[in-house]
Amino acid sequence: MKLLVQIVRVIVGILFIFSGFVKLVDPIGSQYKFEEYFSESVLHIPFLIPYALPFAIFLIIAEIILGVALLVGWKTKFTVKSLLFMVLFFLFLTGYSAYYDKVTDCGCFGDAIKLKPWETFYKDVVLSILIFFLSYKTKLITPLKSKSSPGKVVLWSFLISVFITYYVLAHLPIIDFRPYAIGKNISEGMEYPEDGSLPKVHDFMLEDSQNDLAPEILKMEKVLLVISYSLEKADFKAFIEIKKMSDEAIKKGYKVYGVSASFSDILQLTKKKFDLPFEFLFCDETTLKTMIRANPGIIILNKGTVVDKKNWNDIDDLKLE
């Protein structure tokens, strides 16, 4: 029995750490997912939407801390009870989403692993059973013997998680699992897989007042996209630096476009206020949020391949060749 407890302990601990880590490198992705859950069309609690990011960060770090705590045997009763509470919460979300077909991807493993709603629900059912088992066998979960006490290991995992969160929010995800990652070709991502499922890149359109310019832009060698999914929510001081960067890019032969889902009125006002040397194109907000976790952010393309991408905070590190 003791061996079985240790095996279950390791499985549960590693799963929670992995689940937390793949979301920790991109907490804004989890923010968007909880905004979807909180929306009127899903759980009908839109007043929580402004708190989606801190809520996501809390759950992500909690997953990692509790997973580490289980592995090292720190405060086992508290740890197992907390894990049980968390998995039951996830079980409710995934069960609700699967039954009512509300959210097609729960985001349990971020963008690293995509699970269908019912697959996610069954995963949480199995996890619930395993944690229930551990809750009756907490006396057999003993602290690991190591030079560092279990408490210190948990503390360090917390501090490292907080640092990674701060870094990622100030810059971009340290690991990009999305089809717009550096080195990915958007045109190739738009091709339908052999099994007939949706391509990894869909709803990618860059529209002016009349046409979709995406096919043309994806053939160009030197393209710079200034992306702001919502100018209303953007950090406007960014456009002072973006103006300088855009002028330099144009001198070096780049074709520069702004891309946003905002209304044309605010686009024109922003262009005029900061004397921006480019026109804005329209793209779906969800697509823009997927392309880059910054508002605004910059992406450089070469024949459809993502060459570089930066948060506006790192605009000085952008490589303009």
Side-chain angles (χ1 to χ4, degrees):
M1 181 61 69
K2 187 173 182 179
L3 177 61
L4 179 60
V5 170
Q6 304 313 315
I7 292 173
V8 173
R9 165 193 188 178
V10 170
I11 291 173
V12 173
I14 290 176
L15 274 176
F16 268 84
I17 293 171
F18 175 75
S19 175
F21 177 77
V22 294
K23 295 193 289 285
L24 181 70
V25 299
D26 182 16
I28 293 180
S30 295
Q31 172 195 354
Y32 296 154
K33 187 57 60 178
F34 278 115
E35 287 177 350
E36 185 178 358
Y37 273 116
F38 295 156
S39 67
E40 293 183 0
S41 62
V42 183
L43 293 177
H44 310 284
I45 46 177
F47 63 90
L48 289 179
I49 289 178
Y51 309 102
L53 180 58
F55 184 73
I57 292 172
F58 172 78
L59 281 183
I60 291 168
I61 294 180
E63 278 189 275
I64 294 174
I65 298 304
L66 292 175
V68 171
L70 183 63
L71 288 182
V72 300
W74 180 76
K75 295 187 180 297
T76 54
K77 288 185 179 180
F78 168 79
T79 297
V80 173
K81 286 182 179 179
S82 299
L83 286 170
L84 186 58
F85 175 80
M86 183 174 288
V87 78
L88 290 177
F89 170 72
F90 289 146
L91 190 64
F92 163 73
L93 285 184
T94 56
Y96 182 89
S97 298
Y99 184 79
Y100 291 102
D101 194 25
K102 292 287 187 178
V103 180
T104 56
D105 171 30
C106 75
C108 297
F109 294 115
D111 288 299
I113 300 176
K114 298 288 187 180
L115 296 177
K116 296 178 181 178
W118 282 113
E119 292 174 340
T120 304
F121 174 72
Y122 294 138
K123 180 265 296 180
D124 286 336
V125 169
V126 173
L127 261 180
S128 300
I129 294 172
L130 294 178
I131 296 173
F132 264 115
F133 170 72
L134 290 177
S135 68
Y136 288 99
K137 302 295 180 180
T138 53
K139 292 182 180 179
L140 297 179
I141 304 175
T142 55
L144 295 181
K145 295 180 180 180
S146 63
K147 294 181 180 179
S148 299
S149 66
K152 288 182 179 179
V153 175
V154 172
L155 176 60
W156 273 106
S157 64
F158 170 75
L159 294 175
I160 292 171
S161 297
V162 169
F163 173 78
I164 292 175
T165 301
Y166 171 79
Y167 179 87
V168 169
L169 291 178
H171 304 281
L172 287 179
I174 55 178
I175 302 175
D176 193 344
F177 296 106
R178 287 158 291 143
Y180 301 95
I182 294 175
K184 298 285 187 179
N185 185 278
I186 296 176
S187 298
E188 293 177 0
M190 296 170 72
E191 297 175 359
Y192 278 84
E194 294 182 359
D195 60 6
S197 59
L198 282 176
K200 293 182 179 179
V201 176
H202 53 279
D203 297 331
F204 180 79
M205 293 181 287
L206 303 175
E207 299 174 304
D208 62 9
S209 59
Q210 296 179 326
N211 302 301
D212 176 19
L213 303 183
E216 177 185 343
I217 290 174
L218 291 177
K219 294 177 182 178
M220 297 179 182
E221 291 189 355
K222 299 175 74 172
V223 178
L224 190 148
L225 302 179
V226 177
I227 296 175
S228 176
Y229 71 85
S230 171
L231 281 175
E232 296 87 343
K233 299 177 182 178
D235 191 337
F236 277 97
K237 63 184 179 183
F239 288 99
I240 298 174
E241 299 301 320
I242 286 174
K243 156 68 175 171
K244 299 176 185 177
M245 179 272 301
S246 300
D247 287 336
E248 181 185 353
I250 291 171
K251 289 179 182 178
K252 293 186 175 182
Y254 283 85
K255 186 66 177 178
V256 181
Y257 297 95
V259 189
S260 180
S262 295
F263 291 108
S264 59
D265 290 347
I266 191 172
L267 297 180
Q268 296 307 315
L269 286 173
T270 303
K271 174 179 166 60
K272 183 177 180 180
K273 180 178 180 180
F274 295 98
D275 191 26
L276 300 175
F278 53 79
E279 298 295 329
F280 276 96
L281 303 176
F282 176 82
C283 185
D284 176 71
E285 182 174 322
T286 300
T287 300
L288 296 179
K289 287 179 175 180
T290 304
M291 290 176 70
I292 191 164
R293 306 298 200 205
N295 188 29
I298 299 97
I299 290 181
I300 294 179
L301 301 177
N302 188 323
K303 293 184 178 180
T305 297
V306 179
V307 177
D308 201 2
K309 59 195 302 187
K310 297 290 183 190
N311 188 305
W312 79 267
N313 291 323
D314 302 311
I315 202 168
D316 290 338
D317 298 328
L318 201 65
K319 300 174 182 177
L320 296 176
E321 299 178 352

